[in-house]
Amino acid sequence: MNEFVATAEQQGMRADLFLAQASGLTRSRVANLMEQGHVQCQGRPVRAKDKVKAGMQFTLTMPAVQPVALIAQDLPLCIVYQDADIAVINKQRGLSVHPGAGINDGTLVNALLYHLDHLSGINGELRPGIVHRLDKDTTGLLLVAKNDMAHQALSQQIQDRTVKREYLALVAGNFSEEEGLVDAPIGRHKHDRKRMAVVPDGRPARTHWRVMHRFGDATLVLCTLETGRTHQIRVHMAHIAHPVLQDPVYGPKKDRERATGQLLHAWRITFAHPCTGRVMSFTADPPADYLSVLKRHGFYWPEDFMLYKSDTTLYTEPAHERSL
Protein backbone atom coordinates (compact mmCIF):
# COMPACT_ATOMS: atom_id res chain seq x y z
CA MET A 1 0.00 0.00 0.00
CA ASN A 2 1.34 3.42 -0.99
CA GLU A 3 0.08 6.85 0.02
CA PHE A 4 0.50 10.08 -1.94
CA VAL A 5 -0.52 13.60 -0.90
CA ALA A 6 -1.20 16.28 -3.51
CA THR A 7 0.51 19.65 -3.20
CA ALA A 8 -0.80 23.07 -4.18
CA GLU A 9 1.24 22.92 -7.39
CA GLN A 10 -0.53 19.70 -8.38
CA GLN A 11 -4.05 21.02 -7.84
CA GLY A 12 -6.25 20.65 -10.92
CA MET A 13 -4.33 17.72 -12.39
CA ARG A 14 -6.16 14.58 -13.51
CA ALA A 15 -5.90 11.87 -10.87
CA ASP A 16 -4.33 9.32 -13.23
CA LEU A 17 -1.62 11.77 -14.31
CA PHE A 18 -0.88 12.82 -10.72
CA LEU A 19 -0.54 9.25 -9.49
CA ALA A 20 1.52 8.19 -12.50
CA GLN A 21 4.03 10.94 -11.75
CA ALA A 22 3.96 10.31 -8.01
CA SER A 23 4.23 6.52 -8.17
CA GLY A 24 6.47 6.06 -11.20
CA LEU A 25 3.92 3.74 -12.82
CA THR A 26 2.67 4.29 -16.36
CA ARG A 27 -0.52 6.27 -16.74
CA SER A 28 -2.29 3.30 -18.34
CA ARG A 29 -1.25 1.06 -15.43
CA VAL A 30 -2.62 3.60 -12.93
CA ALA A 31 -5.88 3.84 -14.88
CA ASN A 32 -6.15 0.04 -14.88
CA LEU A 33 -5.64 -0.07 -11.10
CA MET A 34 -8.34 2.58 -10.71
CA GLU A 35 -10.78 0.52 -12.76
CA GLN A 36 -10.11 -2.43 -10.45
CA GLY A 37 -10.78 -0.31 -7.33
CA HIS A 38 -7.19 -0.27 -6.07
CA VAL A 39 -6.97 3.53 -5.77
CA GLN A 40 -8.93 5.41 -3.12
CA CYS A 41 -9.16 8.87 -1.63
CA GLN A 42 -10.70 9.22 1.81
CA GLY A 43 -12.20 5.75 1.51
CA ARG A 44 -13.81 6.34 -1.90
CA PRO A 45 -12.75 4.90 -5.28
CA VAL A 46 -10.92 7.30 -7.58
CA ARG A 47 -11.58 7.68 -11.30
CA ALA A 48 -8.90 8.57 -13.81
CA LYS A 49 -10.59 11.85 -14.78
CA ASP A 50 -11.13 13.09 -11.21
CA LYS A 51 -9.41 16.38 -10.45
CA VAL A 52 -6.79 16.61 -7.71
CA LYS A 53 -7.05 19.17 -4.92
CA ALA A 54 -4.25 20.27 -2.63
CA GLY A 55 -4.04 18.15 0.52
CA MET A 56 -5.87 15.15 -0.95
CA GLN A 57 -4.41 11.85 0.26
CA PHE A 58 -4.52 8.97 -2.21
CA THR A 59 -4.02 5.32 -1.29
CA LEU A 60 -2.77 2.98 -4.01
CA THR A 61 -2.79 -0.74 -3.28
CA MET A 62 -0.80 -2.96 -5.59
CA PRO A 63 -2.54 -6.32 -6.09
CA ALA A 64 -0.51 -9.47 -5.50
CA VAL A 65 1.18 -10.71 -8.64
CA GLN A 66 -0.23 -14.01 -9.85
CA PRO A 67 2.65 -16.06 -11.25
CA VAL A 68 2.11 -17.47 -14.71
CA ALA A 69 4.61 -19.85 -16.23
CA LEU A 70 4.84 -19.18 -19.94
CA ILE A 71 5.37 -22.30 -21.98
CA ALA A 72 6.47 -22.68 -25.57
CA GLN A 73 3.69 -24.22 -27.69
CA ASP A 74 3.84 -25.61 -31.20
CA LEU A 75 0.95 -23.52 -32.53
CA PRO A 76 0.50 -22.59 -36.20
CA LEU A 77 2.47 -19.44 -36.92
CA CYS A 78 2.96 -17.63 -40.23
CA ILE A 79 6.37 -15.94 -40.16
CA VAL A 80 6.52 -13.50 -43.06
CA TYR A 81 10.07 -12.35 -42.30
CA GLN A 82 12.70 -12.66 -39.62
CA ASP A 83 16.35 -11.87 -38.98
CA ALA A 84 18.51 -11.60 -35.85
CA ASP A 85 16.59 -8.55 -34.56
CA ILE A 86 12.95 -8.66 -35.69
CA ALA A 87 10.18 -10.86 -36.98
CA VAL A 88 7.04 -9.99 -38.92
CA ILE A 89 4.09 -12.28 -38.19
CA ASN A 90 0.84 -12.71 -40.13
CA LYS A 91 -1.52 -13.38 -37.21
CA GLN A 92 -4.51 -15.63 -37.74
CA ARG A 93 -8.02 -14.95 -36.45
CA GLY A 94 -8.92 -16.15 -32.97
CA LEU A 95 -5.40 -15.87 -31.54
CA SER A 96 -4.80 -13.61 -28.53
CA VAL A 97 -1.46 -11.83 -28.71
CA HIS A 98 -0.38 -12.46 -25.12
CA PRO A 99 -1.68 -14.00 -21.87
CA GLY A 100 -4.13 -11.96 -19.85
CA ALA A 101 -7.11 -12.32 -17.56
CA GLY A 102 -8.24 -15.92 -17.82
CA ILE A 103 -5.82 -16.69 -20.68
CA ASN A 104 -2.62 -18.46 -19.68
CA ASP A 105 -1.63 -20.23 -22.89
CA GLY A 106 -2.57 -20.73 -26.53
CA THR A 107 -1.45 -17.20 -27.41
CA LEU A 108 0.85 -15.71 -30.01
CA VAL A 109 3.53 -15.33 -27.34
CA ASN A 110 3.40 -19.07 -26.61
CA ALA A 111 3.87 -19.74 -30.33
CA LEU A 112 6.71 -17.23 -30.59
CA LEU A 113 8.57 -18.92 -27.74
CA TYR A 114 8.43 -22.18 -29.69
CA HIS A 115 9.23 -20.93 -33.19
CA LEU A 116 11.76 -18.13 -32.56
CA ASP A 117 15.21 -18.46 -31.01
CA HIS A 118 14.90 -15.43 -28.72
CA LEU A 119 12.62 -12.49 -27.82
CA SER A 120 13.07 -9.10 -26.14
CA GLY A 121 12.26 -8.90 -22.43
CA ILE A 122 11.27 -5.23 -22.13
CA ASN A 123 7.53 -5.88 -21.88
CA GLY A 124 7.94 -8.33 -19.01
CA GLU A 125 7.44 -12.06 -18.64
CA LEU A 126 3.94 -12.19 -20.15
CA ARG A 127 4.62 -10.13 -23.29
CA PRO A 128 8.14 -10.89 -24.51
CA GLY A 129 8.84 -9.43 -27.94
CA ILE A 130 5.46 -7.69 -28.24
CA VAL A 131 5.90 -4.17 -29.62
CA HIS A 132 2.25 -3.55 -30.54
CA ARG A 133 -0.94 -5.62 -30.54
CA LEU A 134 -3.85 -6.76 -32.65
CA ASP A 135 -7.26 -7.73 -31.30
CA LYS A 136 -7.89 -11.45 -30.96
CA ASP A 137 -10.12 -11.62 -34.05
CA THR A 138 -8.23 -9.05 -36.12
CA THR A 139 -5.91 -10.68 -38.63
CA GLY A 140 -2.72 -9.52 -40.27
CA LEU A 141 0.77 -8.20 -39.76
CA LEU A 142 2.43 -7.74 -36.40
CA LEU A 143 5.98 -6.62 -35.55
CA VAL A 144 7.99 -8.63 -33.00
CA ALA A 145 11.30 -7.62 -31.40
CA LYS A 146 13.89 -10.34 -30.81
CA ASN A 147 16.14 -8.30 -28.53
CA ASP A 148 15.83 -5.28 -26.23
CA MET A 149 17.69 -2.89 -28.52
CA ALA A 150 15.32 -3.64 -31.40
CA HIS A 151 12.34 -3.35 -29.06
CA GLN A 152 13.38 0.11 -27.83
CA ALA A 153 14.00 1.35 -31.38
CA LEU A 154 10.68 0.05 -32.72
CA SER A 155 8.76 1.39 -29.72
CA GLN A 156 10.31 4.81 -30.34
CA GLN A 157 9.22 4.68 -33.98
CA ILE A 158 5.66 3.90 -32.91
CA GLN A 159 5.77 6.73 -30.38
CA ASP A 160 7.10 9.07 -33.08
CA ARG A 161 4.36 7.80 -35.44
CA THR A 162 6.81 6.79 -38.15
CA VAL A 163 5.61 3.18 -38.30
CA LYS A 164 2.87 3.08 -40.95
CA ARG A 165 0.11 0.56 -40.22
CA GLU A 166 -2.56 0.10 -42.90
CA TYR A 167 -5.70 -1.97 -42.41
CA LEU A 168 -8.40 -3.20 -44.78
CA ALA A 169 -11.84 -2.85 -43.25
CA LEU A 170 -15.14 -3.91 -44.80
CA VAL A 171 -17.64 -1.52 -43.25
CA ALA A 172 -21.38 -0.96 -43.42
CA GLY A 173 -22.92 1.60 -45.77
CA ASN A 174 -21.53 3.95 -48.39
CA PHE A 175 -19.41 7.09 -48.08
CA SER A 176 -20.16 10.45 -49.67
CA GLU A 177 -16.43 11.22 -49.90
CA GLU A 178 -13.38 9.33 -51.14
CA GLU A 179 -11.25 9.80 -48.04
CA GLY A 180 -11.28 11.42 -44.65
CA LEU A 181 -9.96 11.59 -41.10
CA VAL A 182 -11.62 10.58 -37.85
CA ASP A 183 -10.10 12.69 -35.09
CA ALA A 184 -11.92 11.66 -31.92
CA PRO A 185 -10.56 10.78 -28.44
CA ILE A 186 -11.03 7.20 -27.22
CA GLY A 187 -11.48 5.93 -23.67
CA ARG A 188 -13.42 3.38 -21.66
CA HIS A 189 -17.16 3.24 -22.30
CA LYS A 190 -19.08 5.08 -19.60
CA HIS A 191 -21.34 2.14 -18.75
CA ASP A 192 -19.46 -0.90 -20.07
CA ARG A 193 -15.82 -0.98 -18.96
CA LYS A 194 -15.02 -3.84 -21.35
CA ARG A 195 -15.78 -1.62 -24.34
CA MET A 196 -14.06 1.46 -25.70
CA ALA A 197 -15.87 4.56 -26.96
CA VAL A 198 -15.37 8.08 -28.24
CA VAL A 199 -15.40 10.15 -25.04
CA PRO A 200 -14.51 13.81 -24.41
CA ASP A 201 -11.77 13.00 -21.87
CA GLY A 202 -10.31 10.06 -23.80
CA ARG A 203 -6.82 9.77 -25.25
CA PRO A 204 -6.24 11.46 -28.63
CA ALA A 205 -6.93 9.11 -31.54
CA ARG A 206 -6.68 9.71 -35.29
CA THR A 207 -7.62 7.32 -38.09
CA HIS A 208 -7.24 8.16 -41.79
CA TRP A 209 -9.55 6.28 -44.17
CA ARG A 210 -9.72 5.94 -47.93
CA VAL A 211 -12.38 4.25 -50.06
CA MET A 212 -11.01 1.33 -52.06
CA HIS A 213 -14.24 -0.14 -53.46
CA ARG A 214 -17.96 0.53 -53.07
CA PHE A 215 -20.50 -2.30 -52.91
CA GLY A 216 -23.62 -0.20 -52.33
CA ASP A 217 -24.53 -1.45 -48.87
CA ALA A 218 -20.89 -1.91 -47.83
CA THR A 219 -17.52 -0.31 -48.53
CA LEU A 220 -13.96 -1.61 -48.50
CA VAL A 221 -11.78 1.07 -46.92
CA LEU A 222 -8.07 1.38 -46.24
CA CYS A 223 -7.52 2.71 -42.71
CA THR A 224 -4.17 4.13 -41.64
CA LEU A 225 -3.44 4.56 -37.95
CA GLU A 226 -1.85 7.78 -36.77
CA THR A 227 -2.29 6.65 -33.16
CA GLY A 228 -2.78 3.16 -31.78
CA ARG A 229 -5.56 3.10 -29.19
CA THR A 230 -7.38 -0.05 -28.12
CA HIS A 231 -10.02 -1.02 -30.74
CA GLN A 232 -9.29 2.28 -32.51
CA ILE A 233 -10.49 1.49 -36.04
CA ARG A 234 -13.50 -0.46 -34.80
CA VAL A 235 -14.56 2.39 -32.50
CA HIS A 236 -13.90 5.16 -35.03
CA MET A 237 -15.76 3.45 -37.87
CA ALA A 238 -18.76 2.84 -35.59
CA HIS A 239 -18.54 6.46 -34.46
CA ILE A 240 -19.03 7.75 -38.03
CA ALA A 241 -21.90 5.28 -38.61
CA HIS A 242 -19.85 2.86 -40.74
CA PRO A 243 -19.12 0.01 -38.31
CA VAL A 244 -16.83 -2.83 -39.31
CA LEU A 245 -18.94 -5.75 -40.50
CA GLN A 246 -19.06 -8.92 -38.42
CA ASP A 247 -17.78 -7.02 -35.37
CA PRO A 248 -19.54 -8.61 -32.35
CA VAL A 249 -18.95 -5.58 -30.12
CA TYR A 250 -19.24 -2.45 -32.29
CA GLY A 251 -20.76 -3.82 -35.51
CA PRO A 252 -24.32 -3.56 -36.81
CA LYS A 253 -26.83 -5.75 -34.99
CA LYS A 254 -28.20 -7.14 -38.26
CA ASP A 255 -25.16 -8.44 -40.09
CA ARG A 256 -25.60 -10.85 -42.98
CA GLU A 257 -21.94 -11.57 -43.57
CA ARG A 258 -20.60 -15.01 -42.65
CA ALA A 259 -17.16 -14.67 -41.12
CA THR A 260 -15.80 -15.74 -37.76
CA GLY A 261 -14.81 -12.27 -36.57
CA GLN A 262 -14.63 -8.60 -37.54
CA LEU A 263 -13.64 -8.01 -41.17
CA LEU A 264 -10.56 -6.04 -40.24
CA HIS A 265 -7.13 -7.03 -41.52
CA ALA A 266 -3.70 -5.48 -40.88
CA TRP A 267 -2.69 -5.50 -44.53
CA ARG A 268 0.56 -3.56 -44.68
CA ILE A 269 3.22 -2.38 -42.23
CA THR A 270 6.12 -0.07 -43.07
CA PHE A 271 8.99 0.79 -40.72
CA ALA A 272 12.73 1.40 -40.50
CA HIS A 273 14.78 -1.62 -39.50
CA PRO A 274 15.94 -0.95 -35.91
CA CYS A 275 19.59 -1.80 -36.70
CA THR A 276 20.22 -0.96 -40.34
CA GLY A 277 17.76 1.92 -40.69
CA ARG A 278 16.54 0.41 -43.97
CA VAL A 279 12.88 1.18 -44.64
CA MET A 280 10.95 -2.07 -45.04
CA SER A 281 7.38 -2.76 -46.11
CA PHE A 282 5.38 -5.99 -45.89
CA THR A 283 1.88 -6.94 -47.00
CA ALA A 284 -0.30 -9.97 -46.34
CA ASP A 285 -3.49 -11.16 -48.05
CA PRO A 286 -6.69 -11.17 -45.97
CA PRO A 287 -7.73 -14.63 -44.69
CA ALA A 288 -9.97 -17.00 -46.63
CA ASP A 289 -13.21 -16.12 -44.82
CA TYR A 290 -12.62 -12.41 -45.52
CA LEU A 291 -11.94 -13.09 -49.20
CA SER A 292 -15.07 -15.24 -49.49
CA VAL A 293 -17.18 -12.32 -48.26
CA LEU A 294 -15.58 -10.04 -50.86
CA LYS A 295 -16.21 -12.67 -53.55
CA ARG A 296 -19.90 -12.83 -52.66
CA HIS A 297 -19.99 -9.10 -53.37
CA GLY A 298 -18.41 -9.75 -56.78
CA PHE A 299 -14.96 -8.53 -55.76
CA TYR A 300 -12.03 -10.79 -56.61
CA TRP A 301 -8.71 -10.64 -54.77
CA PRO A 302 -6.12 -9.56 -55.73
CA GLU A 303 -7.10 -8.57 -59.29
CA ASP A 304 -9.87 -6.11 -58.42
CA PHE A 305 -7.90 -4.67 -55.52
CA MET A 306 -4.84 -4.03 -57.64
CA LEU A 307 -6.76 -2.48 -60.52
CA TYR A 308 -9.38 -0.43 -58.69
CA LYS A 309 -7.09 2.55 -58.10
CA SER A 310 -4.76 4.07 -60.64
CA ASP A 311 -2.28 4.79 -57.87
CA THR A 312 -0.36 1.53 -58.28
CA THR A 313 2.42 2.73 -55.99
CA LEU A 314 0.04 1.94 -53.15
CA TYR A 315 0.43 -1.79 -53.60
CA THR A 316 3.13 -4.35 -52.96
CA GLU A 317 3.17 -8.08 -53.57
CA PRO A 318 1.67 -10.10 -50.69
CA ALA A 319 4.06 -11.21 -47.95
CA HIS A 320 7.16 -9.75 -49.59
CA GLU A 321 9.45 -7.03 -48.39
CA ARG A 322 10.10 -3.92 -50.43
CA SER A 323 12.74 -1.28 -49.83
CA LEU A 324 11.11 2.13 -50.22
Side-chain angles (χ1 to χ4, degrees):
M1 182 180 296
N2 300 281
E3 294 184 348
F4 305 96
V5 179
T7 64
E9 290 78 14
Q10 294 165 323
Q11 180 157 316
M13 292 178 65
R14 279 177 55 114
D16 58 346
L17 178 58
F18 162 71
L19 283 169
Q21 294 179 353
S23 66
L25 298 173
T26 65
R27 193 170 175 180
S28 59
R29 175 60 171 154
V30 169
N32 183 258
L33 290 170
M34 288 177 170
E35 291 175 5
Q36 298 175 27
H38 294 300
V39 180
Q40 295 191 346
C41 180
Q42 297 176 338
R44 295 183 178 181
V46 179
R47 299 175 299 175
K49 66 180 180 180
D50 289 345
K51 299 298 183 181
V52 170
K53 294 182 179 179
M56 276 186 167
Q57 182 171 312
F58 294 85
T59 301
L60 187 154
T61 304
M62 296 296 294
V65 176
Q66 300 297 321
V68 176
L70 275 182
I71 59 173
Q73 292 179 296
D74 186 8
L75 304 173
L77 189 67
C78 179
I79 303 173
V80 174
Y81 172 85
Q82 74 165 316
D83 56 30
D85 303 295
I86 64 170
V88 179
I89 308 298
N90 183 10
K91 189 186 84 67
Q92 64 265 43
R93 196 185 303 283
L95 184 67
S96 295
V97 170
H98 57 73
I103 303 175
N104 296 328
D105 58 10
T107 71
L108 176 68
V109 164
N110 297 103
L112 291 173
L113 289 171
Y114 182 90
H115 291 282
L116 302 186
D117 49 3
H118 50 272
L119 294 168
S120 70
I122 287 180
N123 258 351
E125 294 182 0
L126 296 185
R127 293 184 284 178
I130 302 303
V131 180
H132 64 110
R133 293 177 289 178
L134 294 177
D135 298 335
K136 179 179 180 180
D137 288 325
T138 296
T139 59
L141 297 174
L142 190 75
L143 260 177
V144 172
K146 298 179 70 175
N147 55 62
D148 289 355
M149 184 281 297
H151 195 130
Q152 290 173 331
L154 292 173
S155 295
Q156 188 63 50
Q157 287 186 49
I158 290 176
Q159 183 177 338
D160 295 340
R161 301 179 182 178
T162 57
V163 175
K164 190 173 184 180
R165 290 170 285 172
E166 298 167 275
Y167 293 69
L168 289 171
L170 187 62
V171 303
N174 207 340
F175 290 81
S176 58
E177 300 175 336
E178 288 296 316
E179 57 186 341
L181 167 68
V182 184
D183 187 355
I186 291 177
R188 291 288 172 184
H189 193 281
K190 184 177 181 181
H191 303 295
D192 185 351
R193 305 302 291 176
K194 294 182 179 180
R195 299 179 59 183
M196 307 302 288
V198 170
V199 293
D201 59 346
R203 300 178 70 186
R206 291 166 61 89
T207 303
H208 298 264
W209 59 265
R210 176 183 177 186
V211 171
M212 302 306 296
H213 193 85
R214 301 175 186 272
F215 301 106
D217 59 346
T219 307
L220 182 66
V221 294
L222 182 71
C223 295
T224 304
L225 291 180
E226 188 172 322
T227 55
R229 309 305 177 205
T230 301
H231 300 174
Q232 179 171 318
I233 293 175
R234 299 163 65 192
V235 171
H236 272 173
M237 291 296 101
H239 179 65
I240 62 173
H242 293 288
V244 177
L245 294 177
Q246 206 58 34
D247 187 331
V249 179
Y250 308 101
K253 293 181 179 179
K254 295 182 179 180
D255 196 336
R256 295 174 296 175
E257 305 300 351
R258 296 188 297 276
T260 55
Q262 59 262 13
L263 294 171
L264 180 63
H265 175 72
W267 169 64
R268 182 164 70 174
I269 189 165
T270 305
F271 59 95
H273 191 282
C275 293
T276 67
R278 178 189 180 192
V279 177
M280 307 177 78
S281 184
F282 299 86
T283 63
D285 288 348
D289 62 344
Y290 197 140
L291 296 182
S292 67
V293 171
L294 293 178
K295 188 176 180 180
R296 285 199 299 272
H297 283 281
F299 187 87
Y300 293 87
W301 185 277
E303 294 83 5
D304 288 341
F305 184 64
M306 299 288 282
L307 296 175
Y308 186 70
K309 293 292 181 181
S310 59
D311 180 13
T312 54
T313 60
L314 178 69
Y315 308 108
T316 59
E317 291 299 316
H320 282 69
E321 86 171 82
R322 182 170 67 115
S323 179
L324 302 181

